[in-house]
Amino acid sequence: MNDPHRGTRAMAEVRATFGSVHDQIDGRRFAGKLLLLVLLVVAGALLVRHGSVWSIACGVLLLGLMYAHALELQHEALHSIGFRGRRANVVAGVLLGIPMLTSFSAYRAAHMRHHRCLGTPDNREYFDYGDQYGHTDRTRARTVLAWVYRFSMVSLYRQFLADTLRLAAGRPVPGEKPATVRDIRRDHLLITAVLGTAVTASVATGSTFAVWAWLVPVLVVAGPVHAAVELPEHYRCDTGTTDVFRNTRTIRSNRLMAWYTNGNNFHVEHHLMPSLPISRLSRLHRITAPRALHYHRTYRDFYRSLRTPRSRAPLAGPQAEYDTPQ
């Protein structure tokens, strides 16, 4: 017999094992992540600056990957688990969103609602991919268009432009409190100021550096990579229930991808305990993995599984793997 409260009880049991999590936040670890990001962005910029075809191509790739990675770090800051202090998280989060035109405050407000409302009709995510969770049957042509729409991330740039114009005209952002709107306006002013400075400098000097170090990496690399990383989190999961073990997916992957996604591969665990520091998610994974309904060992396995129609897609979690003595 199905127990409708089984998932809720399981979540409560797991949370009880970790106790207070604020004292586990390590700001030095997050500062190290930010420093590494800065160093890799500088390396990418120098490659672009070098000017040869191959160095520009490598620079564009590296910068695009780092701009997408910056959003994963921004996600940690918006949960206030990067640094212990709120102001430090806000400053870091606002700066991390600049490359991909992502307002820290708008992302935070929408993302917190997503955590509260996942599994209900009120659930909305900040990044809009159209058929967000793969529940709509489409013709082959419409499926191709849906994937192009998702990986181009055109919705993000369109939303940024719409919000910028709305805020410039003094109109409120629908569904947001006045204090949140003020913070979103601050983010947009900073992003547009940086963008305007880059455009002005490029025109004044006749340089294409900003194009190759910012525009091309964002459009060609960062957008599609970010969409690819975000897609597995709830795609084809049962988003009609509030049970985290059924509406969210974890991908175990490897240390490189865990670093690059900044722990978001452990997404069941993150939704189970959003305030748990990223570095602790792997430990939580050992406890929760046997209960997860949607699980893949690697990102490659997940994308291969999309070839299987939803009606025949396997829904078993990693029980066998974790029931076996390690």
Side-chain angles (χ1 to χ4, degrees):
M1 180 180 295
N2 291 328
D3 181 356
H5 303 293
R6 179 181 178 184
T8 302
R9 286 201 299 269
M11 289 187 282
E13 291 170 5
V14 171
R15 289 177 180 133
T17 65
F18 275 79
S20 175
V21 297
H22 185 266
D23 293 340
Q24 302 174 32
I25 296 173
D26 186 352
R28 293 171 300 179
R29 182 188 295 269
F30 190 60
K33 295 178 185 179
L34 297 179
L35 177 59
L36 179 57
L37 172 69
V38 170
L39 292 176
L40 290 173
V41 168
V42 170
L46 290 175
L47 285 170
V48 169
R49 192 71 175 174
H50 186 269
S52 70
V53 173
W54 283 108
S55 67
I56 291 176
C58 291
V60 165
L61 177 61
L62 179 58
L63 286 169
L65 289 173
M66 289 306 101
Y67 294 158
H69 178 57
L71 288 189
E72 303 304 318
L73 297 179
Q74 186 186 48
H75 170 256
E76 185 173 1
L78 67 82
H79 278 284
S80 297
I81 53 177
F83 297 111
R84 291 194 182 186
R86 180 182 181 279
R87 180 172 297 180
N89 282 301
V90 170
V91 171
V94 170
L95 295 177
L96 287 166
I98 291 176
M100 291 191 67
L101 313 182
T102 302
S103 163
F104 171 76
S105 301
Y107 184 12
R108 179 175 58 185
H111 189 69
M112 293 307 177
R113 281 194 297 270
H114 165 62
H115 273 272
R116 293 193 303 268
C117 301
L118 180 60
T120 75
D122 295 326
N123 177 48
R124 297 288 187 279
E125 294 201 50
Y126 179 74
F127 298 103
D128 175 23
Y129 300 122
D131 181 16
Q132 193 83 11
Y133 303 127
H135 296 327
T136 304
D137 291 323
R138 299 174 181 271
T139 63
R140 184 178 296 275
R142 286 184 176 274
T143 298
V144 171
L145 290 175
W147 283 95
V148 170
Y149 178 81
R150 174 185 290 275
F151 283 96
S152 69
M153 287 196 70
V154 64
S155 62
L156 172 63
Y157 313 127
R158 184 177 60 191
Q159 186 62 46
F160 173 79
L161 178 60
D163 285 346
T164 299
L165 295 175
R166 179 184 292 109
L167 293 166
R171 298 198 305 271
V173 178
E176 301 298 353
K177 299 177 181 178
T180 302
V181 174
R182 287 195 298 270
D183 290 342
I184 295 174
R185 180 177 289 109
R186 173 205 62 203
D187 297 349
H188 278 257
L189 284 173
L190 178 60
I191 295 172
T192 53
V194 173
L195 186 59
T197 300
V199 171
T200 301
S202 296
V203 172
T205 62
S207 171
T208 60
F209 177 74
V211 173
W212 292 104
W214 190 356
L215 179 64
V216 175
V218 166
L219 295 179
V220 176
V221 181
V225 168
H226 178 71
V229 168
E230 294 275 311
L231 173 66
E233 295 174 354
H234 306 287
Y235 198 76
R236 289 188 179 179
C237 296
D238 183 2
T239 53
T241 175
T242 57
D243 183 351
V244 172
F245 295 116
R246 300 181 66 86
N247 62 26
T248 306
R249 174 181 286 101
T250 274
I251 297 179
R252 189 176 182 184
S253 197
N254 54 54
R255 290 186 179 182
L256 177 62
M257 284 303 296
W259 162 77
Y260 185 74
T261 64
N262 199 33
N264 258 336
N265 56 307
F266 297 118
H267 212 64
V268 170
E269 295 74 14
H270 171 63
H271 267 268
L272 184 63
M273 296 188 67
S275 59
L276 187 69
I278 297 298
S279 61
R280 308 286 284 175
L281 291 178
S282 59
R283 179 189 169 196
L284 180 57
H285 172 68
R286 297 294 304 179
I287 301 172
T288 62
R291 300 173 177 174
L293 184 63
H294 302 281
Y295 169 89
H296 287 86
R297 291 181 60 87
T298 66
Y299 279 87
R300 179 181 296 180
D301 286 347
F302 165 75
Y303 279 99
R304 283 176 175 170
S305 75
L306 297 184
R307 301 173 186 174
T308 305
R310 288 192 302 275
S311 60
R312 299 203 305 272
L315 295 176
Q319 287 89 348
E321 177 181 346
Y322 285 89
D323 286 344
T324 303
Q326 300 295 311

